[in-house]
């Protein structure tokens, strides 16, 4: 990967650009929504589609090679009705397509849109391996292109530099804020207890057990946008105080945030900061496939002034990763 910002990185227009942490003067433009407006968030749109735990486990089994209804059910020990509803929703959202001739078993195959989820999976796997696994990671990954064992890294495409949440600067477009919906969707979530639903020890699932519901994700997103205080979350999200309290307790219990009376409010720990890599890969997927038709809902700006894009690469060769180029060895007994 190049050591310097390449010429393909577009030069940011001359305007105020703020960092995710510690802006130098003034109020960050992405921090407080204007009255009656909310963020146009590609990340939360992605979470709405992907981050239900059963949904993501079905996608995961698709990457492991499952195709038939019975395979998904056997490998996940998932109730038939739950599996049927999730597969129907995944087809509706273009993640799977159903194939098969009359009289033959139907198969569910990942579409191009589904295959594009793979970098997010790798980002979550890296996070779960680092912070939520003890001993040997559940999977050993092999990159067939460079013939090396590897772990994923989230870097800037244009520079090859690792993504560090504290170094990020952003620029928001004029339509960053959109009118608040009249009726907000309801999302329920039980308290986090670290439980695992699937039959595999799974680093991805362990991360989703914490952030895999819409409200928890939105609270975490607000922290990355510079908000720290209870009232700031209430004003930005219009979330019920009791719901917010539960999500903050879960994030504290899991080690993502800590309450700091001296600094005021809630702040991301080192563990919480590391979650930003897979989260911004969700942003890239959401912009491409859900909310923006390939347009960015905000830009990441390199200190040199160029716009940069997060990608998942092989730690050995630095090249982009796709599911078709990766094989694996299970460090556990795989489900029958």
């Amino acid at each position: 990967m190049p050591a310097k910002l390449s010429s393909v990185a577009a030069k940011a227009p001359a305007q105020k650009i703020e960092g995710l942490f510690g802006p130098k003067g003034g109020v960050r433009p992405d921090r407080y929504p204007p009255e009656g407006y909310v963020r146009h968030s590609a990340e939360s749109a992605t979470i709405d589609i992907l981050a239900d735990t059963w949904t993501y486990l079905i996608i995961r089994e698709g990457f492991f090679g499952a195709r038939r209804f019975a395979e998904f059910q056997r490998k996940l020990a998932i109730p038939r009705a739950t599996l049927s509803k999730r597969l129907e929703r995944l087809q509706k959202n273009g993640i799977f397509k159903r194939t098969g001739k009359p009289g033959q078993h139907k198969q569910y195959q990942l579409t191009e849109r589904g295959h594009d989820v793979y970098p997010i999976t790798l980002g979550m796997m890296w996070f779960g391996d680092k912070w939520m696994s003890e001993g040997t990671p559940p999977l050993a990954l092999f990159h067939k292109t460079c013939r090396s064992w590897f772990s994923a890294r989230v870097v800037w495409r244009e520079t090859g530099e690792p993504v560090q949440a504290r170094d990020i600067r952003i620029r928001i477009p004029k339509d960053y804020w959109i009118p608040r919906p009249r009726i907000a969707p309801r999302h329920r979530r039980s308290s986090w207890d670290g439980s695992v639903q699937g039959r595999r020890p799974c680093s991805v699932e362990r991360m989703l057990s914490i952030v895999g519901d819409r409200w928890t994700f939105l609270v975490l997103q607000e922290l990355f946008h510079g908000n720290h205080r209870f009232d700031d979350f209430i004003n930005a999200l219009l979330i019920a105080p009791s719901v917010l309290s539960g999500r903050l307790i879960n994030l504290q219990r899991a080690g993502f945030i800590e309450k700091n009376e001296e600094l005021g409010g809630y702040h991301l720990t080192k563990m919480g900061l590391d979650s930003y890599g897979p989260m911004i890969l969700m942003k890239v997927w959401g912009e491409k496939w859900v909310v923006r038709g390939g347009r960015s809902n905000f830009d990441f700006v390199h200190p040199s002034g160029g716009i940069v894009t997060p990608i998942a690469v092989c730690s050995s060769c630095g090249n982009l990763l796709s599911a078709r180029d990766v094989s694996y060895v299970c460090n556990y007994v795989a489900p029958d």
Side-chain angles (χ1 to χ4, degrees):
M1 300 295 288
K4 296 182 179 180
L5 188 71
S6 70
S7 59
V8 300
K11 197 71 174 178
Q15 68 176 79
K16 188 175 182 181
I17 298 171
E18 300 290 6
L20 287 180
F21 298 89
K24 297 180 180 180
V27 177
R28 284 177 47 174
D30 63 311
R31 186 170 183 179
Y32 300 118
E35 186 175 354
Y37 286 78
V38 295
R39 305 183 193 283
H40 194 179
S41 173
E43 298 100 310
S44 59
T46 301
I47 283 289
D48 285 344
I49 294 174
L50 300 179
D52 166 84
T53 305
W54 276 128
T55 298
Y56 213 103
L57 293 184
I58 292 168
I59 297 173
R60 180 197 67 187
E61 291 303 324
F63 287 126
F64 278 126
R67 295 291 181 268
R68 296 180 179 179
F69 189 97
E71 285 183 282
F72 289 106
Q73 187 182 22
R74 183 177 68 252
K75 292 179 181 296
L76 291 172
I78 181 175
R80 288 183 61 87
T82 302
L83 176 58
S84 180
K85 290 179 181 178
R86 296 303 193 280
L87 284 171
E88 183 178 349
R89 187 163 181 259
L90 285 167
Q91 290 177 80
K92 182 179 179 180
N93 285 306
I95 309 298
F96 280 98
K97 61 180 179 182
R98 190 176 179 184
T99 62
K101 297 180 180 179
Q104 295 180 345
H105 288 290
K106 302 297 181 182
Q107 294 194 0
Y108 299 88
Q109 296 184 344
L110 287 163
T111 62
E112 181 185 356
R113 193 180 196 185
H115 276 286
D116 268 1
V117 176
Y118 195 64
I120 303 173
T121 305
L122 291 175
M124 289 186 177
M125 187 182 300
W126 169 83
F127 179 89
D129 287 347
K130 178 177 180 179
W131 290 105
M132 308 183 74
S133 296
E134 295 182 2
T136 304
L139 286 181
L141 300 176
F142 185 78
H143 193 200
K144 291 182 281 188
T145 303
C146 68
R147 302 193 61 80
S148 298
W149 299 99
F150 76 97
S151 61
R153 295 288 183 267
V154 182
V155 303
W156 300 120
R157 179 195 298 271
E158 294 77 8
T159 69
E161 299 167 352
V163 169
Q164 302 287 346
R166 291 191 180 277
D167 298 334
I168 293 173
R169 299 293 181 266
I170 71 170
R171 187 193 69 190
I172 64 173
K174 293 181 179 179
D175 60 349
Y176 178 74
W177 304 106
I178 59 173
R180 187 185 301 277
R182 292 184 179 181
I183 302 176
R186 294 185 177 183
H187 298 266
R188 296 183 179 272
R189 171 95 192 284
S190 58
S191 297
W192 177 79
D193 61 3
S195 61
V196 175
Q197 294 186 41
R199 297 180 64 196
R200 301 178 188 269
C202 176
S203 295
V204 172
E205 186 176 338
R206 288 166 181 158
M207 181 178 182
L208 286 173
S209 69
I210 302 166
V211 301
D213 82 294
R214 186 173 183 271
W215 279 128
T216 299
F217 176 81
L218 291 179
V219 171
L220 196 58
Q221 182 177 248
E222 288 303 314
L223 285 158
F224 281 112
H225 282 290
N227 289 315
H228 303 288
R229 300 180 184 276
F230 195 91
D231 288 345
D232 291 339
F233 299 134
I234 294 289
N235 293 333
L237 300 175
L238 289 186
I239 182 174
S242 60
V243 175
L244 175 59
S245 294
R247 299 316 191 268
L248 290 171
I249 290 171
N250 289 343
L251 286 170
Q252 282 183 275
R253 183 186 302 165
F256 275 56
I257 63 174
E258 58 188 3
K259 192 171 184 180
N260 191 313
E261 299 294 346
E262 293 183 2
L263 296 176
Y266 299 87
H267 296 266
L268 291 158
T269 62
K270 290 181 179 180
M271 179 183 184
L273 289 170
D274 271 354
S275 71
Y276 198 62
M279 285 177 61
I280 60 175
L281 292 174
M282 294 181 191
K283 170 186 180 293
V284 173
W285 189 89
E287 288 171 352
K288 180 177 180 180
W289 294 109
V290 186
V291 298
R292 289 271 176 167
R295 291 194 302 123
S296 177
N297 70 322
F298 64 82
D299 294 323
F300 298 111
V301 182
H302 190 269
S304 67
I307 296 171
V308 287
T309 308
I311 56 174
V313 300
C314 170
S315 59
S316 294
C317 68
N319 289 327
L320 280 168
L321 293 164
S322 73
R324 298 176 180 89
D325 298 329
V326 175
S327 58
Y328 62 90
V329 172
C330 295
N331 292 318
Y332 58 89
V333 177
D336 183 9

